[in-house]
Amino acid sequence: MSSHLPPLSAIRAFEAASRHLSFTKAGDELGMTQAAVSYQIKVLEDRLGFQLFTRKARKIELTDSGAQLATRVVDAFSSLRSAFEDISEKNASQLVVSSNTTFAVNWLAYRLFEFQMKNPDVGVRIVPYGPNAEPDFNESDIVISACKAPPKTWPAHEIVRADFTPMLSPKLAETIGGISKPEDLLKLPLVDPQDPWWQMWFEAAGLANVDLSGHPSSRMGSQALEANRAIAGQGVAILTPYFCRTALESGQLIQPFELTCRANNESWYLSYPPALRSSRKIRLFRDWVHAELKNDGMPVAAPVAVTG
Amino acid sequence: MSSHLPPLSAIRAFEAASRHLSFTKAGDELGMTQAAVSYQIKVLEDRLGFQLFTRKARKIELTDSGAQLATRVVDAFSSLRSAFEDISEKNASQLVVSSNTTFAVNWLAYRLFEFQMKNPDVGVRIVPYGPNAEPDFNESDIVISACKAPPKTWPAHEIVRADFTPMLSPKLAETIGGISKPEDLLKLPLVDPQDPWWQMWFEAAGLANVDLSGHPSSRMGSQALEANRAIAGQGVAILTPYFCRTALESGQLIQPFELTCRANNESWYLSYPPALRSSRKIRLFRDWVHAELKNDGMPVAAPVAVTG
DNA sequence: GATATGCATAAGGGAGATTTATGCATGTCA
DNA sequence: TGACATGCATAAATCTCCCTTATGCATATC
């Protein structure tokens, strides 16, 4: 089946001309001149070896062969058009958000409903990914990530700074008569003592080289789990305050020290493919996230410059 | 429905790539490089705003959206291909000969069967046109014409010179005791006395300004009819000898004088659209006509030069 | 006739398609 | 575990062919 098609631009011109029965109107539809259409039809006729149109005075008519071909070509183009229409429509109204678990659970979960109420025409699909997984940059419209960097060409917005500070349940604090000095924390079990955040925070608190046993594990991404263990009184967790607002306000957790740290200016970022920069669904979601953050009193940063 | 399609070259590249799941192979099929395919896919992805392929190590995979689009695009292209295939096939095997009635009746009619026996895969359709009609240059593969000239750009072969000389039935000749001098003809009724051929022939025979009453009518094109009337003894007709061979040989008609004339070098021509110059069906038919002519002892002229 | 409409054609320019020449990542095989 | 092969991405340069401009011609229409 090496049957190569004639030049597609010629086929397209023929398709339009056969519908309008006018080179001029076909040109209008295609955004080109009458002369261009005339030329393309000639190309196709030469290629096929027979006339597609009969040129009459001030009008054209399809020849028998032309008419026969036209119906099928018009059909095929109509299929093509609807295929692209459908896919862009579906794509315009479907928003796939690939978010790490921390943000998904601690932030998106209880707010998403509001977004959906505000934008009932946008279908949202949250695809969470765990601490050791990669977001799916290919199939996502928006990626919310902390350590996993999106491609350098993606526009990215800082949404939440990755500050951290110890948190624990009031009951656990009482077991040692309350927390007054950083050292007090060492009397209690730590949730995930290998988290490097601990080292950083203790150093910032003036305690260098505390000996934390256990095995290494990744930071950020499992805060939901760690928070739950802290709430359950199983130990002290080192968490981002903003994500614990509810637990703090309700008294499930306490933050014994004002001191928060931040490693390497790390933050959570919202990013998306450059091509979607100005698409409606992206704009709606991005603006909504910003509004929510502002509403929480969080600073909303300018988008991070895109390289290239 | 102003939904313009993305660039067709990009769609074509995507179609091939989605079938091969390889830019390299798609390039091979389309006769271009892998880089070009890669570029076109990128164009399409940028245009659509989402990825069509997931680039893996040494292979590519369709994304969900890509796969969805691919099935429909492949379908549409397959329709297009078969549409063009069918039309060229039909066109390659169907030969439409638009011939004036004279040649159709006096020449083609009793020979065509042989051509069809020799070339059973070529379907021949003879479309005769009368003396005052135009051949359909748009819908014909071959036009056989005398006075009606084909477009100047069409290759044309002279097939039969438009010689003419009086013919009549032997019985009619006997009614005046036989024909010995041109003047004898004037004693008999002429079939179509207004035919200018009569004036020319009588002049050539040395009889200037004979007075021929009646009304004008067109020459050539109705020879079949005129010959029949002559055979029936209704009068003397002025005919092209080659077209009367059978009647002459069988004695139905006699040609009283050797003298033949020819106006303005007129001839019958076989012509066809330039694009079909080397198509099989044209070649078969043209060569067959030439062979038949040669077989009849007719000189076969070189094709008439095409202007432009 | 005068005008308007519609297609054909030639010449020329320009944008986008393609190639060339790389680089990079990852399988594969010794 | 290197050396090599395979396959895609990317940049720069080139070129092709598609389109426009400008015109002519034929024929409807007034």
Side-chain angles (χ1 to χ4, degrees):
Chain A
M1 78 112 143
S2 70
S3 78
H4 270 221
L5 284 171
L8 289 172
S9 47
I11 302 181
R12 177 180 46 193
F14 171 64
E15 193 265 346
S18 75
R19 274 187 288 106
H20 292 293
L21 286 181
S22 156
F23 293 175
T24 308
K25 285 184 194 147
D28 288 346
E29 177 185 312
L30 297 175
M32 57 201 221
T33 60
Q34 161 271 130
V37 177
S38 174
Y39 168 81
Q40 292 294 352
I41 300 296
K42 189 189 228 328
V43 165
L44 191 54
E45 286 176 334
D46 286 354
R47 170 70 166 265
L48 293 174
F50 57 92
Q51 300 283 110
L52 293 165
F53 292 98
T54 304
R55 277 70 164 178
K56 302 247 167 128
R58 301 187 49 173
K59 72 175 177 186
I60 53 175
E61 279 170 12
L62 281 161
T63 62
D64 290 350
S65 299
Q68 206 171 317
L69 188 60
T71 54
R72 302 184 62 179
V73 172
V74 168
D75 267 8
F77 268 70
S78 149
S79 299
L80 266 189
R81 277 195 207 92
S82 68
F84 278 93
E85 240 165 65
D86 290 353
I87 205 87
S88 352
E89 219 165 81
K90 177 210 140 207
N91 209 267
S93 65
Q94 174 95 350
L95 183 69
V96 180
V97 180
S98 183
S99 168
N100 62 14
T101 318
T102 299
F103 192 83
V105 172
N106 288 312
W107 201 96
L108 282 175
Y110 64 97
R111 298 178 202 248
L112 192 60
F113 179 72
E114 197 203 314
F115 178 80
Q116 291 179 317
M117 291 303 287
K118 275 190 179 168
N119 306 285
D121 59 318
V122 178
V124 181
R125 231 178 72 215
I126 303 288
V127 183
Y129 63 92
N132 294 313
E134 283 282 332
D136 188 343
F137 291 109
N138 285 312
E139 305 266 6
S140 309
D141 299 312
I142 286 192
V143 169
I144 291 170
S145 57
C147 24
K148 314 295 185 189
K152 290 290 170 288
T153 54
W154 285 31
H157 302 258
E158 182 184 51
I159 44 180
V160 178
R161 294 161 56 98
D163 295 323
F164 46 87
T165 189
M167 305 274 189
L168 74 168
S169 77
K171 279 187 188 164
L172 185 61
E174 276 171 26
T175 61
I176 57 165
I179 310 287
S180 52
K181 311 182 301 290
E183 293 91 327
D184 295 341
L185 294 172
L186 295 170
K187 301 171 189 165
L188 293 170
L190 302 186
V191 172
D192 193 2
Q194 278 305 305
D195 190 326
W197 281 4
W198 277 122
Q199 284 289 356
M200 292 183 225
W201 189 84
F202 277 122
E203 263 181 50
L207 298 176
N209 294 321
V210 285
D211 180 32
L212 302 170
S213 58
H215 56 278
S217 81
S218 63
R219 310 147 299 147
M220 304 200 305
S222 51
Q223 283 205 25
L225 195 57
E226 294 171 13
N228 278 336
R229 295 182 62 190
I231 289 171
Q234 296 178 7
V236 189
I238 186 147
L239 302 171
T240 299
Y242 179 57
F243 288 146
C244 307
R245 283 159 44 102
T246 327
L248 287 168
E249 282 165 11
S250 67
Q252 294 178 288
L253 284 181
I254 56 173
Q255 174 183 341
F257 307 100
E258 280 301 313
L259 175 67
T260 63
C261 294
R262 184 159 173 241
N264 304 325
N265 280 325
E266 273 179 341
S267 295
W268 273 267
Y269 287 95
L270 179 158
S271 60
Y272 40 84
L276 292 183
R277 181 193 290 279
S278 52
S279 87
R280 184 181 117 89
K281 61 180 180 181
I282 295 290
R283 190 163 28 80
L284 287 174
F285 191 81
R286 190 206 329 143
D287 292 352
W288 172 74
V289 169
H290 281 159
E292 287 288 303
L293 292 170
K294 196 176 171 191
N295 199 38
D296 287 347
M298 300 293 284
V300 174
V304 173
V306 177
T307 66
Chain B
M1 82 111 142
S2 72
S3 78
H4 271 219
L5 284 170
L8 288 171
S9 47
I11 301 181
R12 177 179 47 193
F14 171 64
E15 194 266 346
S18 75
R19 275 188 287 106
H20 291 294
L21 286 181
S22 155
F23 292 174
T24 308
K25 284 184 193 145
D28 289 346
E29 176 185 312
L30 297 176
M32 56 201 219
T33 60
Q34 161 270 130
V37 177
S38 174
Y39 168 81
Q40 292 293 354
I41 301 295
K42 188 191 234 319
V43 165
L44 191 54
E45 287 176 332
D46 286 354
R47 170 71 167 264
L48 292 175
F50 57 91
Q51 299 284 109
L52 293 165
F53 291 99
T54 304
R55 277 71 165 177
K56 302 245 168 133
R58 300 189 49 174
K59 72 175 176 186
I60 54 175
E61 280 171 10
L62 283 161
T63 61
D64 291 350
S65 299
Q68 206 171 318
L69 189 61
T71 53
R72 303 184 61 180
V73 171
V74 169
D75 267 9
F77 268 71
S78 151
S79 300
L80 267 188
R81 277 196 206 90
S82 67
F84 278 94
E85 240 164 65
D86 291 352
I87 205 87
S88 351
E89 219 163 80
K90 176 209 143 208
N91 209 267
S93 64
Q94 174 95 350
L95 183 69
V96 180
V97 180
S98 183
S99 167
N100 61 14
T101 318
T102 299
F103 193 81
V105 172
N106 289 313
W107 201 96
L108 283 175
Y110 64 98
R111 300 179 199 247
L112 192 59
F113 180 72
E114 197 201 315
F115 177 80
Q116 292 179 317
M117 293 303 287
K118 275 189 178 168
N119 306 285
D121 60 319
V122 178
V124 182
R125 232 178 71 216
I126 303 286
V127 183
Y129 63 93
N132 294 313
E134 283 283 329
D136 188 343
F137 291 109
N138 285 312
E139 305 267 5
S140 310
D141 300 313
I142 284 190
V143 169
I144 291 169
S145 56
C147 26
K148 315 294 184 190
K152 289 290 170 291
T153 55
W154 285 31
H157 303 258
E158 180 183 53
I159 46 180
V160 177
R161 293 161 58 97
D163 295 323
F164 47 86
T165 189
M167 304 274 189
L168 72 167
S169 77
K171 282 187 186 163
L172 186 61
E174 277 171 25
T175 61
I176 59 167
I179 309 287
S180 52
K181 311 183 299 294
E183 290 91 327
D184 295 340
L185 294 173
L186 295 170
K187 302 173 190 164
L188 294 169
L190 303 185
V191 172
D192 195 5
Q194 279 304 307
D195 190 327
W197 282 4
W198 277 123
Q199 285 289 359
M200 291 184 225
W201 189 85
F202 278 121
E203 263 183 50
L207 299 178
N209 294 321
V210 286
D211 181 32
L212 303 169
S213 58
H215 58 279
S217 79
S218 64
R219 310 147 297 147
M220 302 201 306
S222 51
Q223 284 205 25
L225 194 58
E226 295 172 13
N228 279 337
R229 296 183 60 189
I231 289 170
Q234 296 179 4
V236 189
I238 186 146
L239 302 171
T240 299
Y242 179 56
F243 288 146
C244 308
R245 283 161 45 101
T246 327
L248 287 168
E249 283 164 11
S250 67
Q252 294 178 285
L253 284 181
I254 56 172
Q255 174 182 343
F257 306 99
E258 279 301 314
L259 175 66
T260 63
C261 295
R262 185 160 171 240
N264 303 325
N265 280 324
E266 274 179 340
S267 296
W268 273 268
Y269 286 95
L270 179 156
S271 59
Y272 39 85
L276 293 182
R277 180 193 290 280
S278 52
S279 87
R280 185 180 117 89
K281 60 180 180 181
I282 295 290
R283 187 163 30 79
L284 288 174
F285 191 82
R286 189 203 337 143
D287 293 352
W288 171 74
V289 170
H290 281 160
E292 288 288 303
L293 292 171
K294 194 175 174 192
N295 198 39
D296 287 347
M298 298 294 283
V300 174
V304 173
V306 176
T307 65

